[in-house]
Amino acid sequence: MCGVAGVLDWRAQANPVWSPDDGLLRRMADTLHHRGPDGRGFLKRPELGLAHTRLAIVDLAGGDQPIFNEDGSIAVVFNGEIFNHIELRDELESLGHRFATRSDTEVIVHLYEQHGDDFVHHLNGQFAIVLWDERRQRLLLVRDRVGIAPLYYRIGETDDEHQLIFGSEVKALLPALVRSPRVNRRALDQVFTCWTPVGAETLFEGIWSLEPGTMLIAEPDRDKRLHATVRRYWDWRFPLSPDDCLQGPDDDLLEELRATLVDATRIRLRADVPVGAYLSGGLDSSILTSVIHHETNAPLRTFSIGFEDASLDESAQQREMIEFLHARHSRIECRQEDVGLGLMDTVWHAECAVLRTAPVPMRLLSGLVRRQGYKVVLTGEGADEVFGGYDLFKEAQLRQFWARQPQSPHRPQLLQRLYPWLAGQSGRSDAFMRGFYGNGLEDPDDLLFSHGPRFDTTSKARMFLLEPRPDRESLEDIRAILPPEASHWHPLARAQYLEARLLMGNYLLSSQGDRMLMANGVEGRFPYLDHRVIEFANRLPPRLKLRGLREKIGLRQAMARYLPERTRMRHKQPYRAPDAAALFNPATGEPLAFVSDLLSPQSLTRSACFEHTRVGLLLRKASRQPAALGNRDNQALIGMVTLQAWHRLFIESHHPMRPLAH
């Protein structure tokens, strides 16, 4: 992965006073140095300036960007990897295209020459592409299908909307703005409803995220004004009826699944630098590391996180797989104090408030990877979305079952079996379980039914907002991202779509994926998110994903040969990190100094986001017994601290500097 940034403005052709000067482009590139510490490249035209910071992975000597076609009329800077570039190169050379490098980037310019905008359908990869067509005076911004590589943009500083500014991270846009950004109140409410901004929204007013599976096309109109359109080229799709699912014997379907996932893993090992893998000890990462060991000649080098808190730690499961695979392994242990110390720097990279501390250890882990001399790792992210692995999917199925007989005294008793990994779950009262999970049973056909309990839990944090939107507006924003045919999908498919389109691109792959990896110049690769794997899995019958309270049935069966039986049958244990208790001194119960500062009346007044009295009450409650906070209060407190940190870093300072450790 790398960093891209740029400015497009056709006024510059007629007004030489304005141009994308080297100073501006270099300042934009400076903000992305962590994404590309291995080199820089620039393209300057009267109407366009492009900047690229390189993390050298493929063609170390010849892959500097921008890269051009034969006559120089098409230029590309890009962040990511094209995993099928070898096959595409062979095909393009047979059609007469001439290559000057071995870089996967060069494949993009020749594919565009050959196929126009449809070039993107030929790519297997993760990418944020910026392509300039000099002859047609046309700029394309393209983001990969599932949102692994980020890309942000802003159109215009005035009502004229004459200028397009873009970059891999929001901080790359800030040097090009004439005034400090403001808080996007709509996105703020969304974060405190469903963990993340929805769709193209960001916390920065007027700055948009290019959504996964879309491209932005920028062209001049007759008056040299910017005309920009965004169109979707790919989306998650599911069968409209059982007859539309893949047919045939289960063994045949699962063998095809196995072969597809093995190939998705194999091509993601293509690199001119060593490639490692994350090994959490769970099913998904265990499958990938075992496939590397058994199906490739690549040396197996693994990395993991451990926790001093035994309830969070999976070191025993990790050791089991390490011994099974004879892997060379490195591990970092995250202590509770590490979360508090690392939170501000994590917000700096995430560029958004977060309601969980989970990103902090992921940033520490990528630091270990880089210190060990690796800058590429394979990870198991995406398997839960693709194969129905989250507990939320089991919750929804059980609630659907309960909703058919809402007065049954027996069906809600199954709720006690939902979380075998969570100590004390069985101690929750029947009244609590019935009240919490029974909310919404009257409308099991609601398209948001599966996520109702999560949204309800998170939205309690909205009570701390100074100016919350009406209760249901953020939920309606979520409904708007669902396609019309979603009402015909199986309930599990609807839940998967929500998780993939809402949480995966904007939260999981951003706050816990790309940002925490690239904070240390490490590229993550995600075999489960190969579009061939997704498209095949989406057409599998639901019974091969979730059966009763057993998740990922088909994946377990298809990959059984690669795993010890105990690993194959292990229940999912979600990745969790030390929560809000990490924001307090364990000896005194007092908030850490930076927490007190961020939640002080003065800081709350400057941000004008939260209601002072309620924040103070929660802070005092947490100080008395931080480890005893419930889930709702945990999320609210972490969300407020990280939002205040975000405001301090990006809104109060026009050109923010990376924070010092606390």
Side-chain angles (χ1 to χ4, degrees):
M1 306 287 267
C2 303
V4 298
V7 183
L8 175 69
D9 190 338
W10 277 283
R11 295 180 312 151
Q13 294 178 326
N15 180 8
V17 173
W18 185 93
S19 67
D21 62 279
D22 288 337
L24 172 60
L25 293 178
R26 292 187 184 281
R27 291 195 302 275
M28 296 173 82
D30 286 344
T31 69
L32 300 175
H33 177 74
H34 54 282
R35 299 188 67 90
D38 297 333
R40 293 188 178 191
F42 299 92
L43 175 69
K44 187 177 177 183
R45 297 287 185 266
E47 64 286 316
L48 174 71
L50 298 179
H52 181 262
T53 62
R54 187 184 183 201
L55 183 67
I57 305 292
V58 175
D59 192 4
L60 305 185
D64 291 340
Q65 300 181 32
I67 280 185
F68 301 86
N69 64 337
E70 294 93 331
D71 64 6
S73 62
I74 297 170
V76 162
V77 293
F78 124 97
N79 163 34
E81 301 290 344
I82 307 303
F83 299 117
N84 62 335
H85 69 97
I86 295 173
E87 293 79 7
L88 290 173
R89 176 188 298 268
D90 290 344
E91 176 185 327
L92 289 163
E93 285 181 334
S94 72
L95 295 171
H97 294 269
R98 300 188 307 278
F99 284 76
T101 74
R102 295 188 302 104
S103 170
D104 57 336
T105 311
E106 192 174 2
V107 164
I108 297 170
V109 295
H110 296 294
L111 271 179
Y112 176 77
E113 284 184 300
Q114 190 67 35
H115 299 289
D117 293 354
D118 287 340
F119 81 95
V120 67
H121 297 294
H122 297 261
L123 301 178
N124 185 329
Q126 52 195 58
F127 45 81
I129 297 169
V130 181
L131 185 148
W132 172 243
D133 187 331
E134 183 85 30
R135 289 195 183 115
R136 299 175 65 184
Q137 288 285 288
R138 189 170 188 262
L139 187 75
L140 297 185
L141 307 182
V142 189
R143 193 173 178 201
D144 66 64
R145 295 170 177 87
V146 297
I148 296 168
L151 192 56
Y152 297 91
Y153 66 95
R154 180 181 178 113
I155 296 177
E157 276 284 305
T158 69
D159 293 337
D160 292 336
E161 295 191 343
H162 55 261
Q163 188 181 91
L164 175 66
I165 309 166
F166 50 90
S168 292
E169 297 181 11
V170 174
K171 57 180 69 72
L173 280 62
L174 300 184
L177 302 185
V178 297
R179 63 181 65 89
S180 296
R182 294 184 294 184
V183 179
N184 178 358
R185 299 283 171 171
R186 182 188 188 106
L188 175 61
D189 198 273
Q190 292 168 347
V191 169
F192 280 81
T193 300
C194 53
W195 296 21
T196 177
V198 176
E201 300 278 354
T202 75
L203 273 180
F204 299 84
E205 186 177 85
I207 294 178
W208 306 95
S209 170
L210 186 64
E211 291 191 74
T214 67
M215 65 171 62
L216 183 151
I217 304 166
E219 301 171 295
D221 64 15
R222 291 182 178 179
D223 298 320
K224 296 294 184 180
R225 294 180 181 271
L226 174 69
H227 177 69
T229 57
V230 177
R231 71 175 180 88
R232 179 165 296 282
Y233 67 86
W234 188 90
D235 201 2
W236 297 66
R237 288 291 181 258
F238 296 89
L240 299 178
S241 72
D243 291 340
D244 293 331
C245 292
L246 292 170
Q247 306 296 319
D250 286 359
D251 287 348
D252 292 349
L253 295 178
L254 296 179
E255 174 55 28
E256 186 171 352
L257 170 61
R258 185 200 68 80
T260 305
L261 183 55
V262 167
D263 188 63
T265 305
R266 183 184 294 117
I267 65 173
R268 278 162 179 77
L269 295 171
R270 290 175 170 174
D272 294 333
V273 296
V275 178
Y278 282 170
L279 177 58
S280 71
L283 179 71
D284 309 327
S285 63
S286 296
I287 287 172
L288 295 186
T289 51
S290 194
V291 166
I292 295 170
H293 177 70
H294 288 100
E295 298 286 353
T296 78
N297 295 320
L300 183 59
R301 182 73 166 88
T302 57
F303 304 89
S304 69
I305 308 171
F307 292 95
E308 63 177 354
D309 183 341
S311 68
L312 308 177
D313 192 61
E314 295 182 80
S315 296
Q317 294 90 336
Q318 294 163 10
R319 283 194 297 271
E320 184 176 335
M321 281 304 298
I322 293 164
E323 292 170 3
F324 178 73
L325 298 172
H326 306 290
R328 182 174 166 229
H329 185 76
S330 294
R331 173 182 180 273
I332 190 170
E333 181 171 288
C334 180
R335 302 162 299 170
Q336 181 166 298
E337 64 190 73
D338 294 327
V339 171
L341 290 170
L343 194 61
M344 285 288 283
D345 203 44
T346 295
V347 172
W348 162 256
H349 287 287
E351 299 184 328
C352 188
V354 294
L355 274 65
R356 301 172 68 226
T357 60
V360 180
M362 298 305 297
R363 183 175 58 81
L364 299 177
L365 179 58
S366 71
L368 169 67
V369 171
R370 190 64 194 239
R371 289 193 300 275
Q372 294 295 318
Y374 283 72
K375 51 185 176 179
V376 183
V377 288
L378 270 59
T379 93
E381 300 289 7
D384 290 311
E385 289 83 358
V386 175
F387 294 103
Y390 284 126
D391 290 324
L392 179 144
F393 300 143
K394 290 186 285 189
E395 286 176 12
Q397 179 171 269
L398 198 157
R399 292 173 62 240
Q400 289 277 353
F401 177 66
W402 182 10
R404 293 199 289 270
Q405 293 185 21
Q407 304 307 316
S408 169
H410 304 296
R411 295 191 176 198
Q413 292 177 1
L414 293 170
L415 294 168
Q416 295 287 357
R417 297 168 52 191
L418 273 175
Y419 302 107
W421 51 269
L422 185 58
Q425 173 70 33
S426 59
R428 288 186 172 181
S429 69
D430 283 343
F432 172 85
M433 301 289 278
R434 289 169 184 264
F436 181 73
Y437 292 110
N439 188 26
L441 288 189
E442 69 281 357
D443 189 10
D445 294 326
D446 181 3
L447 296 181
L448 304 187
F449 177 84
S450 59
H451 284 60
R454 176 191 285 173
F455 295 155
D456 181 61
T457 296
T458 306
S459 65
K460 299 302 180 185
R462 295 176 66 251
M463 68 184 292
F464 296 95
L465 293 177
L466 192 60
E467 298 175 0
R469 299 164 74 206
D471 286 349
R472 299 197 61 81
E473 285 197 8
S474 286
L475 296 182
E476 293 309 311
D477 293 340
I478 298 167
R479 292 182 195 279
I481 71 172
L482 286 156
E485 63 268 25
S487 60
H488 299 287
W489 292 345
H490 188 278
L492 175 60
R494 292 201 292 264
Q496 286 182 264
Y497 187 88
L498 281 171
E499 200 67 19
R501 281 289 311 278
L502 182 64
L503 271 296
M504 190 172 70
N506 285 357
Y507 177 77
L508 185 71
L509 292 175
S510 176
S511 296
Q512 287 184 209
D514 172 84
R515 301 313 185 81
M516 300 304 111
L517 287 154
M518 293 306 296
N520 292 294
V522 176
E523 173 180 288
R525 298 181 175 184
F526 308 84
Y528 292 108
L529 294 177
D530 186 303
H531 70 278
R532 300 169 301 165
V533 174
I534 295 172
E535 290 166 358
F536 185 84
N538 284 358
R539 295 184 61 207
L540 287 172
R543 60 182 168 76
L544 288 179
K545 298 176 185 175
L546 185 60
R547 193 177 303 164
L549 295 181
R550 172 59 75 178
E551 74 278 0
K552 293 189 277 200
I553 293 292
L555 182 64
R556 293 176 190 272
Q557 293 177 357
M559 311 307 285
R561 72 183 70 173
Y562 299 105
L563 299 173
E565 183 64 11
R566 188 161 59 174
T567 301
R568 186 177 77 86
M569 297 305 295
R570 182 177 297 133
H571 282 280
K572 178 177 177 58
Q573 178 172 334
Y575 162 63
R576 298 176 299 144
D579 53 21
L583 305 181
F584 296 81
N585 185 312
T588 66
E590 292 298 311
L592 300 180
F594 83 95
V595 174
S596 294
D597 178 30
L598 292 173
L599 298 186
S600 68
Q602 296 85 352
S603 294
L604 292 170
T605 297
R606 285 198 300 273
S607 70
C609 291
F610 298 109
E611 203 280 320
H612 295 203
T613 303
R614 288 180 172 175
V615 173
L617 289 172
L618 179 58
L619 194 58
R620 286 194 291 274
K621 175 183 177 181
S623 296
R624 288 194 297 271
Q625 201 172 359
L629 282 185
N631 194 34
R632 290 173 174 175
D633 286 342
N634 258 294
Q635 290 186 350
L637 186 58
I638 294 167
M640 288 187 292
V641 170
T642 57
L643 190 282
Q644 288 291 108
W646 171 85
H647 194 276
R648 177 77 57 83
L649 292 169
F650 294 103
I651 305 302
E652 296 175 32
S653 174
H654 187 172
H655 300 300
M657 298 295 291
R658 182 172 178 170
L660 298 175
H662 290 271

